[in-house]
């Protein structure tokens, strides 16, 4: 059969566009799913991107392993459902809508726009999803079902989230309480601790580092020194804390007495010199009273205030070994509750100090810093005030600086889940594996309770109705809520859901929904269930999809998406949330910073995809250290090199095979099963089956880097050794018809199997090669090849490697003596660990153009020696080879066909090589003439 002609000047981007069209028109993706049995499933869960913004290299990167392993397991016979998802609730969308509506603060949503109008605008925004995502996904070769994409704002999805909340609540894993959490004053809502692990979540800024003086009650000129970086909450400091186990000292300096931890004495001023008056343990300070800096607020009845408490959390690593205690610290609030200390909150939801606070009322909390310190300095209550650089958290969406605030909110009790989560993590296969016991486990062990409520508007509601009598109603479905409310609930969004009332079963009064919405991360963490509308979709069985076989995202999701899924999986089913997880690193801009359009520090992904194609991007990224969790700089050169390197090398081999097979008019139906006796064929088949085996083992471990390394190594050997040494076996100049068939049979098998092995990695070029060679519909509908140990020969591969080493040494010797390869050397001697076998030696003789190579003696390593004078050179044969080369170059310039003969005019040629010249250069007439001319016949 004739193959479709192949152009040597391939445009990979155009070829890929043609294949995208072919796949769509012939529904190849759909067929790849439907052709696999429903009872044999491989499941993966896609972390849905936000509907905001355009795809960048980071979002494209996370798509690549999801597609690769989906294709791989499809070829292994599994049915792989691949449904896209959109994340559309939460602050990112609210911020976009705020900007569109000119909203500057949360209050304006209620007072100027109205919640109902705001929610409608949010719905419009998320439903206008950018179609450009599909262009990018198509052009990186990812197959995914967009038509049935799930959306976190759809009613079905939200109902499953409601079901998740109820189940966790009923199991005792969700509670409401006053806890300290990171808070964004611009968004006027708490931020989960793990959200600060995402990109752009910390910023280094100069800030106050102040040592305050608190006078001990009844002790004149005696002060306990406490260090702090938050002057704004010194307004409400109802306690100081020391470590009972630390040693403290009382020193005299400049007529005043100061108390601080002994190991922190170095922080004191050099002048005037201090003198230690007394030493004592921290226990002696506990219970002492001090004079407050500010006492405008009333102390709650039965509460303590303005005294020193003990706490093991106090250290002497920095500061003075004494810390100020206020409600705006995680450990502070715990200590206050344990010691029955009065809690005072003086900042409103937008970070403004409340108007009843003397001197500082109505100031933004950060603006109050200088005012507070100036006031205390004027009153002689500051020992030292410095400015240090601090790494502070910022809101991951609006970039506003965050602070810790006490909030009455809904939390997942992570502390009682930790042991369970550690056990379930043991069942997970992490790649790279060090994350399992490293970053993930450490973040899990240090995790606080998870704040899952937000004081915002656009999101799934916290599904709790509270009655004044204290009773709560927590529905787990829309039907349950509708029956309790006596109305049909059709939308779970605010403000409509806030108007739904239920009758309290305890007292008969109307219960009202708690006003918060859920943290969008609980929606992301519920994706395994919610994307399938579980458990309400009765066609879906839990064991068929949970836990999913595979998830993949970048390192930032270790403490985010991976973590929240793990929490929910452990809480609901005492199960890991996924079986296998791939963690990639971060792609940085060309200057080492995070990629940003403002910096202009990364090449346009669309432009490069249109120039170099998706296969090149896949090879570049999935073969790079980023797939092993390391960060890399984006590089157009490295991207482009995949085209110049692996892809073009493979294409040239494919072109050589097809072009010659068409010229030789090979009937592959008759030579399919020929068992070649040629050593080169046996060698390349050994390498091929080893490749299949090694790539299978690597992909089974979710290791794309090793797989690509093995493939690239094979392609280089396939081209630079096998094809190079086989050129004389094919085409009109070839002599041995049987050996020609051996080559075509072998090369055909290699190209077809190689197409299958590479198909999950480079889906475009492999499908083009496979379809042309086999006439079948697509390589992606075929099955993964199996390696046969019968073909793998360590001995043969080692012998060929020794021969290649010998050839390399001889080429180096020629180069050192300026003797071109076209001139045969009559005799070469070599030393090696052992003599080469005759079959390998024959290949080497042809490669290095020598009439004889003899083994001299055994040695460590290969050593070559030869007489490099003209007496050891066949100069006439070299002249003949030079003529053949000149004719072939002229043929190429003329554009002759591979089997087209030419007439050649030339001054002279070696008569003994005339027939060889005619045969190898396809010359019909060789005519003597004054010049050199090559003409078509």
């Amino acid at each position: 059969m004739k193959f479709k002609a192949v152009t040597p000047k391939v445009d990979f981007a155009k070829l890929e566009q043609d294949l995208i069209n072919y796949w769509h028109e012939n529904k190849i993706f759909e067929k790849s799913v439907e052709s696999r049995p429903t009872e044999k499933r491989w499941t993966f869960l896609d972390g849905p991107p936000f509907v905001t913004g355009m795809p960048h290299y980071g979002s494209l990167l996370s798509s690549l392993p999801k597609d690769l392993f989906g294709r791989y397991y499809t070829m292994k016979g599994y049915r792989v459902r691949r449904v896209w998802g959109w994340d559309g609730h939460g602050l990112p969308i609210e911020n976009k809508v705020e900007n569109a509506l000119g909203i500057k603060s949360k209050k304006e949503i209620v007072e100027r726009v109205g919640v109902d109008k705001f929610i409608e605008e949010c719905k419009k925004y998320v439903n206008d999803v950018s179609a450009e995502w599909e262009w990018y996904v198509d052009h990186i070769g990812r197959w995914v079902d967009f038509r049935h994409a799930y959306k976190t704002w759809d009613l079905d999805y939200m109902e499953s989230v409601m079901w998740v909340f109820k189940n966790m609540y009923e199991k005792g894993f969700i509670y409401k309480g006053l806890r300290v959490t990171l808070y964004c004053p611009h968004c006027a809502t708490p931020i989960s601790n793990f959200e600060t692990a995402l990109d752009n979540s910390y910023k280094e800024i100069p800030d106050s580092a102040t040592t305050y003086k608190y006078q001990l009650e009844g002790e004149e000129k005696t002060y306990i020194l406490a260090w702090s970086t938050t002057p704004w909450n010194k307004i409400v400091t109802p306690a100081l804390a020391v470590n009972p186990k630390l040693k403290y000292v009382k020193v005299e300096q400049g007529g005043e007495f100061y108390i601080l931890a002994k190991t922190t004495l170095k922080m004191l001023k050099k002048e005037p010199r201090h003198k230690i008056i007394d030493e004592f343990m921290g226990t002696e300070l506990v219970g002492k009273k001090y004079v407050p800096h500010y006492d405008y607020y009333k102390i709650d009845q039965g509460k303590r205030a303005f005294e020193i408490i003990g706490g093991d959390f106090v250290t002497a690593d920095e500061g003075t070994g004494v810390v100020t205690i206020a409600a705006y610290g995680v450990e502070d609030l715990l200590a206050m509750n344990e010691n029955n200390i009065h809690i005072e909150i003086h900042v409103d939801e937008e970070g403004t100090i409340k108007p009843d606070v003397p001197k500082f009322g109505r100031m933004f909390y950060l603006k109050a810093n200088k005012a507070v310190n100036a006031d205390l300095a004027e009153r002689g209550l500051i020992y030292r005030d410095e400015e240090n650089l601090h790494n502070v958290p910022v809101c991951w969406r609006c970039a506003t600086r965050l602070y810790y605030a006490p909030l009455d909110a809904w939390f997942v009790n992570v502390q009682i889940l930790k042991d369970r989560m550690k056990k379930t993590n043991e069942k997970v296969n992490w790649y790279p594996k060090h994350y399992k016991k490293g970053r993930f486990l450490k973040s899990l062990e240090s995790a606080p309770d998870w704040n899952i409520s937000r004081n915002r508007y656009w999101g799934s509601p916290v599904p709790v109705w509270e009655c004044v009598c204290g009773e709560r109603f927590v529905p787990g479905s829309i039907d349950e809520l509708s029956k309790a409310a006596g109305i049909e609930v059709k939308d779970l969004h605010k403000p409509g859901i806030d108007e739904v009332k239920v009758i309290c079963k305890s007292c008969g009064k109307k219960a009202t929904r708690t006003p918060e919405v859920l943290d969008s991360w609980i929606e992301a963490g519920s994706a395994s269930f919610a994307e399938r509308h579980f458990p309400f979709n009765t066609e879906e069985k839990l064991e068929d999809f949970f836990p999913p076989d595979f998830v993949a995202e970048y390192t930032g999701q270790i403490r985010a998406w991976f973590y929240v899924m793990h929490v929910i999986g452990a809480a609901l089913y005492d199960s890991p949330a996924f079986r296998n997880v791939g963690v990639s690193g971060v792609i940085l801009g060309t200057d080492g910073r995070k990629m940003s359009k403002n910096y202009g520090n990364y090449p346009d992904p669309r432009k490069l995809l249109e120039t170099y194609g998706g296969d090149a991007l896949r090879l570049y990224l999935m073969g790079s250290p980023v797939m092993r969790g390391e960060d890399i700089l984006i590089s157009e050169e490295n991207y482009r090199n995949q085209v110049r390197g692996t892809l073009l090398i493979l294409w040239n081999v494919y072109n050589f095979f097809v072009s010659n097979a068409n010229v030789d008019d090979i009937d592959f139906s008759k030579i399919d099963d020929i068992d070649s006796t040629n050593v080169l064929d046996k060698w390349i088949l050994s390498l091929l089956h080893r490749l299949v085996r090694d790539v299978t083992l690597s992909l089974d471990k979710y290791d794309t880097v090793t797989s690509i390394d093995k493939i690239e190594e094979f392609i280089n050997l396939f081209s630079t050794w096998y094809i190079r040494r086989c050129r004389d076996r094919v085409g009109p100049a070839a002599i041995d018809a049987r050996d020609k068939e051996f080559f075509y049979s072998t090369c055909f098998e290699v190209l077809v199997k190689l197409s299958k092995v590479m198909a999950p990695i480079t889906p475009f070029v492999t499908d083009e090669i496979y379809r042309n060679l086999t006439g079948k519909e697509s390589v992606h509908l075929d099955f993964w090849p199996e390696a046969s140990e019968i073909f793998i020969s360590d001995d043969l591969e080692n012998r060929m490697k020794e021969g290649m080493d010998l050839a390399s040494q001889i080429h180096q010797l020629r180069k050192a003596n300026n003797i071109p390869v076209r001139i045969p050397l009559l005799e070469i001697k070599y030393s090696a660990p052992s003599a080469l076998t005759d079959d390998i030696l024959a290949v080497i003789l042809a490669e290095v153009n020598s009439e004889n190579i003899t083994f001299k003696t055994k040695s460590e390593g290969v050593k070559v020696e030869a007489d490099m004078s003209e007496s050891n050179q066949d100069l006439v044969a070299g002249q003949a080879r030079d003529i053949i080369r000149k004719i072939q170059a002229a043929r190429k310039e003329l554009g002759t066909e591979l089997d087209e003969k030419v007439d050649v005019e030339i001054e002279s040629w070696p008569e003994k090589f005339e027939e060889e010249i005619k045969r190898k250069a396809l010359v019909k007439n060789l005519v003597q003439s004054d010049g050199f001319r090559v003409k078509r016949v």
Side-chain angles (χ1 to χ4, degrees), residues 466-525:
E466 296 182 301
C467 182
V468 290
C469 73
E471 186 72 19
R472 287 176 180 162
F473 169 65
V474 183
S477 69
I478 293 172
D479 183 60
E480 185 181 356
L481 175 59
S482 296
K483 287 177 180 176
I487 60 170
E488 184 181 358
V489 176
K490 296 181 178 179
D491 189 357
L492 294 175
H493 286 107
K494 292 170 77 75
I497 192 65
D498 296 333
E499 297 167 5
V500 176
K501 311 294 181 184
V502 300
I503 303 301
C504 176
K505 291 182 179 179
S506 294
C507 70
K509 293 181 180 178
K510 287 186 177 180
T512 303
R513 192 188 74 81
T514 187
E516 300 90 351
V517 295
L518 287 171
D519 173 15
S520 60
W521 285 103
I522 199 171
E523 296 182 318

